[in-house]
Amino acid sequence: MGTEIPASPEISEALLPGSDKTATAAIQDEHVPEWKEQITIRGLAVSALLGTLFCIITHKLNLTVGIIPSLNVAAGLLGFFFVKSWTGLMSKLGFEVKPFTKQENTVIQTCVVACYGLAFSGGFGSYLIAMDEKTYKLIGADYPGNHAEDVINPGLWWMIGFLFVVSFLGLFSLVPLRKVMVLDYKLTYPSGTATAMLINSFHTNSGAELAANQVKCLGKYLSLSFVWSCFKWFFSGVGDACGFDNFPTLGLTLFKNTFYFDFSPTYVGCGLICPHIVNCSVLLGAIISWGFLWPFVSQHAGDWYPADLGSNDFKGLYGYKVFIAIAIILGDGLYNLVKIIAVTVKELCSNSSRHLNLPVVANVVDDEASEILLVKKKRDEVFLKDRIPLGFAVSGYVGLAAISTATIPLIFPPLKWYFVLCSYFIAPALAFCNSYGTGLTDWSLASTYGKIGLFIIASVVGSDGGVIAGLAACGVMMSIVSTAADLMQDFKTGYLTLSSAKSMFVSQLVGTAMGCIIAPLTFYLFWSAFDIGDPDGPYKAPYAVIFREMAILGIEGFAELPKHCLALCYGFFIAALIVNLLRDITPPKVSQFIPIPMAMAVPFYIGAYFAIDMFVGTVILFVWERINRKDAEDFAGAVASGLICGDGIWTIPSAILSILRVNPPICMYFKPALAS
C-alpha cells in the first residue's frame, strides 16, 4: 500500500459518445456480443502481459516513494495497441480474425487493473513487508513492543496463498448491489466513467486515429526512458552514493538535505499524470520538513535526543520523521473517513426522499432528452441482461469466508479465527461505505479502513503477537474494501461501454487470480535482486516502518518517543484536520490552491528528491498547457506513461544483473573541492 492518487476529471455521462443524434442511432443499432464472446484468449494473454508490466511498475513506486498514479490510461492504450496490432498482422497473413470490440477492450482494461491492483493493495510495500526481520531490526530490538517473535519474512508460497484466500471476498460482497449503485443511485465513479470515455473514443474513426498517435508517442518516450535508465546504470557503481541518482544538481549543501534532481523518468512521469496540486503539495511538504523542520530539530541534538545515535535510530531524528509522518497520514485519513461517511449518509437520505416523492405523471421531454433516454434504456438493458444470481454471490462470499477463516490463522497464528470471522461480518458494510464514497469522490479509503483494523486488532491481541495480528488484519480489511470499490468502478465502465455485467465480474475474477500469482512473483524479483527496506538505499519501502510502528502504537501507546515529538505529532495531526477543513469550506477558486496533507506527509520520511522530480513534471505540463492545451490533454498521459513504463521495464534486466552479481563499471561521485 502506498498513497494512490485518484483520477480527478469531472466527467458526466452526458459527455460520453451518445449525446448527439448520430451517436445515439449508432448505440441503439449496435450489436452487443454475448458475455462469453467479450472474453477472448487473446484478450487474456494481453492482460497477463500488461498485468506483469504494471505490477513491476507499481512495486517500484511502492518500494521507493509510495506514491502511485493512476495507470488506467496506459493500460487502455497498450491493450488497444496490442490487440489491434495482432488483428492487423493476422489479417495481413490471410487469417480470419474476430473484430476487436470495445467490450473486449473493456474486459482487458478490467483484467489488467484487477491484476496490478493487488500489487498495491496486497501490502508488498506496507503491511506484509512490515512483518519482515529487516524492519524489525530497523526499529530496534530493544524498542518497546517490537518483539523478535513478531517477524515473518516474505515467502513466495505463503504470500500467494494469503492473496488467494483474501482477495476474492470483496468481489462477492457487493455484487447484489450493482444495480442499486450504478442505476438507482447513479453514482458517477469518475475514474470508471473516464475509462469508459477513453475506450468508447478508441472505437470511433477519429478516436482510433488519435489512439494510434498516442501509442506512437507512448512508444517513443518508453524507448527514451528505457535507454536513459540503461545509460544511468553504467554510472551507478557499487553502493548507494554513485550515479545520476545522487547528482547534486542544486549544490552539495542542499544535496545533504535531499534537495536534488535525480533524473528519474518515473517520478517526472508521475508529475505529468498527478494533478498540479498534488505535486505542489509534495514539494511543500519537502520544504517544510527537510528545509526547516529537520534542520531545526537537528540543532537540538544532545538536548532533545542523544547526539551520538545512528541515523536510523527511533530515539533520535529518525523517530521524529516517522511519527510526524504517521500523525499527518492519520489526521488526513480520519478527516476523509468522517467526511465520506457523512456525505454517504446525506446522499442515501436524499435518495430515499426522492424515491418517496416521485411524480405521478411523467413530464413531456424534448427530442434531445428523449434521445438520451433511449441511450440510457439501451445501456440499462445490456447491464441487466446477464444477471449474477443472488444465491451465487451469497454462497460465494460465505464459502470463501469459511476457507479464509480456517486458513489465515495457519499463515498468521496470532490472528485467531474469531478475529477473521468478525472482520468478515462487518466487511460488507465497510465495503459499501467505501464503494459509495468512491462513486461520489473517486477517493478510495481502503488504507484508512485497513489502519482502523490494524489498531483495533493490535490493541486487543496485545503484546503477545499483536503486531503480526494487527498487520494481517489490516491486509484482510484492505483487500475486501479495495476490491469491492474496484469492482463497482468496473461495473460503471461496463455500463457505459455496453459491456455485460457478467463479463465484467468474470474478468475481475480472472484478473484477481492473475494478480494473486503475478504480484508476489514480481515482488520476489525485487526482494531477491535489491536491498529492500534499506533506509539509505533507493528501495526504502517507506510504509513498512510506518505500518509496523502503527501496530506497535496500538499496543504500547506513545512509549520512548524523543523529547517534544508527541507535541509535534499532535500539532501536525490537528494541522492536517484544519487544512482539509479549509479545502472543503473555502470557495473553489481558493481551495484549489490549498495543499493536500496526505501528499505533504510522504516526503517528511522519504526525502525531497522525488518531490523535485515530480515538480519538474508538473512545470513541464503547466508550460505545455499554456502553449497548446489540446495537445497537452491528448498526449500528456501518453508521454507520462511512456516515461514510467520504460523505466519500469528496465527494472527487469537491472534485477537480473543484480542477481547475477554484475556490478556497474563506473561510480560517478561528487564531493567538495579541496581547500587550497
Side-chain angles (χ1 to χ4, degrees):
M1 199 236 46
T3 303
E4 189 174 33
I5 305 300
S8 57
E10 294 291 334
I11 297 172
S12 66
E13 293 174 26
L15 294 175
L16 290 159
S19 56
D20 57 58
K21 293 183 179 180
T22 306
T24 301
I27 286 180
Q28 286 180 274
D29 297 336
E30 181 178 341
H31 168 69
V32 178
E34 291 296 317
W35 74 270
K36 290 182 180 178
E37 296 174 4
Q38 297 173 20
I39 303 170
T40 62
I41 298 297
R42 68 187 180 193
L44 295 179
V46 168
S47 299
L49 178 65
L50 293 179
T52 303
L53 171 61
F54 288 126
C55 276
I56 290 170
I57 293 168
T58 302
H59 285 318
K60 181 172 183 179
L61 290 168
N62 225 353
L63 294 170
T64 50
V65 297
I67 290 182
I68 303 167
S70 173
L71 299 172
N72 288 8
V73 172
L77 271 175
L78 289 172
F80 178 81
F81 167 70
F82 279 124
V83 179
K84 273 290 186 183
S85 300
W86 172 259
T87 55
L89 177 63
M90 291 294 101
S91 297
K92 287 179 181 178
L93 294 175
F95 292 97
E96 185 178 350
V97 292
K98 288 176 60 178
F100 182 41
T101 64
K102 63 185 180 184
Q103 287 81 12
E104 185 180 357
N105 204 161
T106 306
V107 165
I108 293 172
Q109 174 89 7
T110 300
C111 215
V112 172
V113 173
C115 180
Y116 88 78
L118 284 183
F120 171 77
S121 64
F124 298 101
S126 57
Y127 60 84
L128 284 189
I129 199 172
M131 301 176 185
D132 81 329
E133 186 176 6
K134 182 170 288 184
T135 307
Y136 158 74
K137 289 181 176 177
L138 185 60
I139 291 176
D142 59 341
Y143 191 84
N146 190 39
H147 304 303
E149 308 86 65
D150 291 323
V151 170
I152 298 178
N153 285 312
L156 185 60
W157 295 111
W158 76 254
M159 289 191 300
I160 292 174
F162 174 70
L163 289 183
F164 265 109
V165 296
V166 301
S167 299
F168 292 92
L169 280 107
L171 302 181
F172 287 89
S173 62
L174 293 186
V175 166
L177 297 180
R178 73 187 190 284
K179 177 180 177 293
V180 174
M181 306 286 265
V182 176
L183 299 186
D184 296 344
Y185 291 153
K186 297 181 176 61
L187 295 176
T188 309
Y189 288 104
S191 287
T193 303
T195 302
M197 185 178 179
L198 182 77
I199 291 172
N200 281 334
S201 71
F202 287 165
H203 296 270
T204 62
N205 292 332
S206 59
E209 184 179 347
L210 175 61
N213 291 329
Q214 288 172 329
V215 168
K216 287 178 185 175
C217 179
L218 189 151
K220 180 172 75 173
Y221 282 92
L222 185 151
S223 303
L224 287 172
S225 176
F226 181 84
V227 171
W228 172 248
S229 298
C230 177
F231 175 76
K232 284 203 309 176
W233 178 83
F234 283 93
F235 296 89
S236 58
V238 180
D240 302 316
C242 304
F244 287 93
D245 290 342
N246 294 278
F247 197 109
T249 42
L250 302 176
L252 288 168
T253 303
L254 287 175
F255 178 78
K256 289 178 182 176
N257 283 344
T258 71
F259 283 95
Y260 58 93
F261 178 65
D262 74 346
F263 298 91
S264 167
T266 294
Y267 304 148
V268 174
C270 288
L272 282 165
I273 288 180
C274 293
H276 292 306
I277 188 60
V278 171
N279 298 317
C280 293
S281 299
V282 171
L283 182 62
L284 179 61
I287 292 170
I288 290 172
S289 56
W290 292 89
F292 296 100
L293 185 59
W294 303 150
F296 172 76
V297 173
S298 299
Q299 289 175 1
H300 293 81
D303 178 16
W304 289 11
Y305 59 91
D308 57 348
L309 295 176
S311 60
N312 300 316
D313 195 313
F314 271 84
K315 296 174 185 175
L317 180 62
Y318 193 65
Y320 291 93
K321 294 176 184 177
V322 171
F323 282 102
I324 291 175
I326 289 173
I328 298 172
I329 291 168
L330 291 179
D332 185 277
L334 178 64
Y335 179 89
N336 282 292
L337 177 64
V338 173
K339 170 188 166 183
I340 288 186
I341 289 174
V343 170
T344 299
V345 171
K346 181 182 175 183
E347 286 295 315
L348 287 171
C349 292
S350 62
N351 271 314
S352 299
S353 63
R354 280 199 294 268
H355 283 301
L356 290 171
N357 295 290
L358 289 174
V360 178
V361 181
N363 294 325
V364 177
V365 294
D366 57 20
D367 289 344
E368 184 178 351
S370 65
E371 287 165 6
I372 293 174
L373 287 173
L374 288 172
V375 172
K376 183 182 182 304
K377 183 182 177 184
K378 174 79 170 181
R379 287 173 175 155
D380 291 354
E381 287 175 357
V382 173
F383 188 70
L384 297 173
K385 178 186 174 186
D386 296 313
R387 296 183 179 276
I388 301 168
L390 175 63
F392 173 75
V394 173
S395 59
Y397 186 84
V398 172
L400 288 169
I403 294 170
S404 185
T405 301
T407 307
I408 289 178
L410 300 177
I411 303 172
F412 306 113
L415 186 62
K416 304 302 181 184
W417 66 268
Y418 41 86
F419 290 127
V420 181
L421 189 61
C422 288
S423 299
Y424 290 144
F425 271 117
I426 64 171
L430 298 180
F432 173 80
C433 292
N434 190 52
S435 298
Y436 196 98
T438 305
L440 293 172
T441 65
D442 208 35
W443 191 272
S444 174
L445 295 179
S447 62
T448 304
Y449 289 107
K451 288 166 195 158
I452 292 170
L454 186 157
F455 277 119
I456 293 172
I457 298 298
S459 61
V460 170
V461 174
S463 58
D464 187 16
V467 170
I468 293 295
L471 292 169
C474 173
V476 170
M477 195 59 67
M478 268 186 64
S479 296
I480 296 173
V481 172
S482 177
T483 51
D486 289 344
L487 179 63
M488 284 301 158
Q489 287 269 23
D490 292 330
F491 277 144
K492 182 70 174 185
T493 303
Y495 171 73
L496 296 172
T497 57
L498 297 179
S499 301
S500 165
K502 192 174 284 187
S503 70
M504 291 292 92
F505 182 68
V506 172
S507 58
Q508 263 279 356
L509 287 174
V510 174
T512 301
M514 288 180 180
C516 289
I517 298 171
I518 294 172
L521 282 172
T522 48
F523 169 77
Y524 220 71
L525 176 70
F526 283 86
W527 182 258
S528 304
F530 306 115
D531 190 8
I532 304 298
D534 178 7
D536 300 316
Y539 293 97
K540 294 177 175 64
Y543 281 95
V545 169
I546 288 174
F547 269 66
R548 190 174 183 93
E549 274 293 354
M550 285 182 182
I552 294 171
L553 197 63
I555 300 167
E556 297 289 331
F558 298 99
E560 296 288 324
L561 290 183
K563 193 175 181 180
H564 302 304
C565 183
L566 185 57
L568 287 169
C569 288
Y570 283 142
F572 278 96
F573 179 86
I574 293 168
L577 297 176
I578 292 171
V579 171
N580 271 306
L581 182 63
L582 288 173
R583 283 180 57 82
D584 286 334
I585 64 175
T586 54
K589 63 182 180 182
V590 176
S591 63
Q592 64 179 330
F593 297 110
I594 298 177
I596 301 169
M598 184 71 79
M600 292 176 66
V602 180
F604 270 70
Y605 171 61
I606 299 170
Y609 59 93
F610 79 97
I612 302 292
D613 293 8
M614 290 180 68
F615 189 70
V616 168
T618 211
V619 169
I620 292 170
L621 180 61
F622 182 81
V623 173
W624 192 357
E625 287 172 337
R626 293 299 174 273
I627 296 172
N628 189 332
R629 177 169 288 275
K630 187 178 187 311
D631 207 39
E633 289 174 355
D634 288 343
F635 294 102
V639 171
S641 300
L643 292 174
I644 294 171
C645 291
D647 198 20
I649 292 171
W650 168 251
T651 302
I652 301 172
S654 173
I656 293 171
L657 290 169
S658 178
I659 291 169
L660 296 175
R661 300 291 182 258
V662 177
N663 295 317
I666 304 168
C667 174
M668 183 172 68
Y669 179 76
F670 296 87
K671 63 180 182 178
L674 296 174
S676 56

